[in-house]
Amino acid sequence: MTSSIRRSGWSRQKIHTLILIIMFLLVPLTIFYISPIVILMGAAEGIATGSMLFYIALFILSLVVARLWCGWLCPMGAWQKICSPVIKRTVTEGWRNGIKYVVTVLWLALIGFLIVNAGGIHAVDPFYGTVNGISISSVEVLGMVCLIFAIIFVVAFLTGRRGYCHVLCPIAGIMVAGRKIRNLAGWPALRLDASPEKCTDCKKCSRECPMGLDVNGMVRVGRMENADCILCASCADACPNDVISYSVKGKQ
């Protein structure tokens, strides 16, 4: 199946790139609906914003599709992919990967504090902060958004491809938590699977992984589950022997 996709005019990774570019181009419309900062602004007023509702939905979805959002739809991830030609380094696993969990806990704690300080949630406003549903409606907001994406670029440039996803993204922490719950429960969920007996140790899978994971090592030990996997399938499409594929299975 993977070979036929790779040979087609529109390979899976071309479709993947196209989707990410579209998601990035939609930022002027969508950024307030996915912004962790907007959640804080709404929480301070006792308002459940569209971004709060969206993150709750992402957590629920992570129980069955892990970090698929990160790999296929996230504009911040799309921006890092667009910048990848000038980001040559690959992120290395280590202590920095844990920073995002600290950021997530502090962010959630701040949300909770602001909601309590506001006397609870008094209203639900999916379009909070937008003008006629559009996020970027002024030069000032455009400047703030550009600054945020500049910070994301700097983090990725200093730490490696998808560095922001590894180090700072609070959304990643939420979805990792959802995946951990799924792993404990063991219900069927989307994941990558591998056939180690077909592997020739060419390590193309590891070289192509945007998250810098040792995919070859994961294949060899027969455990493809990893908290930082974003299910982009770059490893599967790079493999010349169709070792890796999507599957829906229970506990590994």
Side-chain angles (χ1 to χ4, degrees):
M1 179 64 178
T2 306
S3 292
S4 61
I5 293 175
R6 191 186 298 118
R7 286 193 297 266
S8 67
W10 275 96
S11 69
R12 180 162 55 192
Q13 288 308 308
K14 286 182 179 179
I15 295 172
H16 171 241
T17 300
L18 177 62
I19 291 173
L20 286 176
I21 290 173
I22 292 172
M23 292 303 293
F24 179 73
L25 293 176
L26 289 175
V27 161
L29 299 176
T30 62
I31 189 66
F32 276 23
Y33 303 104
I34 60 176
S35 169
I37 299 173
V38 171
I39 289 183
L40 297 175
M41 295 167 59
E45 300 178 40
I47 299 173
T49 64
S51 50
M52 179 182 289
L53 301 177
F54 180 69
Y55 286 160
I56 292 172
L58 275 185
F59 172 75
I60 295 172
L61 286 172
S62 71
L63 298 172
V64 290
V65 297
R67 294 179 63 181
L68 191 72
W69 160 262
C70 304
W72 284 83
L73 296 168
C74 178
M76 285 72 168
W79 171 237
Q80 292 172 89
K81 185 174 181 66
I82 291 170
C83 296
S84 60
V86 296
I87 303 174
K88 303 299 183 181
R89 297 176 57 189
T90 299
V91 175
T92 56
E93 297 189 68
W95 65 270
R96 289 181 300 183
N97 289 3
I99 296 176
K100 62 178 174 288
Y101 302 121
V102 176
V103 172
T104 299
V105 171
L106 293 175
W107 176 66
L108 291 174
L110 183 55
I111 291 173
F113 170 79
L114 291 173
I115 290 174
V116 170
N117 193 56
I121 296 293
H122 309 299
V124 177
D125 184 359
F127 304 107
Y128 178 88
T130 67
V131 176
N132 297 321
I134 298 174
S135 296
I136 300 179
S137 56
S138 68
V139 176
E140 291 78 9
V141 174
L142 177 61
M144 291 174 59
V145 171
C146 288
L147 177 60
I148 291 169
F149 277 91
I151 292 172
I152 292 172
F153 170 78
V154 170
V155 172
F157 185 79
L158 294 176
T159 59
R161 291 183 297 171
R162 287 278 188 160
Y164 176 78
C165 304
H166 270 274
V167 179
L168 289 181
C169 183
I171 313 172
I174 292 174
M175 286 183 284
V176 169
R179 187 61 168 190
K180 293 291 186 182
I181 292 171
R182 174 268 161 191
N183 289 344
L184 288 173
W187 57 67
L190 184 67
R191 50 175 264 197
L192 292 178
D193 202 5
S195 303
E197 70 280 359
K198 295 164 63 176
C199 178
T200 59
D201 291 316
C202 68
K203 299 186 178 181
K204 288 182 179 179
C205 53
S206 295
R207 289 195 294 271
E208 289 300 319
C209 177
M211 297 295 282
L213 303 181
D214 179 16
V215 183
N216 180 248
M218 292 160 61
V219 169
R220 278 306 181 190
V221 299
R223 183 169 180 78
M224 298 301 293
E225 191 67 31
N226 189 297
D228 283 316
C229 176
I230 56 175
L231 295 178
C232 64
S234 295
C235 56
D237 295 328
C239 178
N241 299 309
D242 295 343
V243 172
I244 305 168
S245 61
Y246 282 123
S247 70
V248 178
K249 291 184 178 180
K251 193 169 184 178
Q252 187 169 12

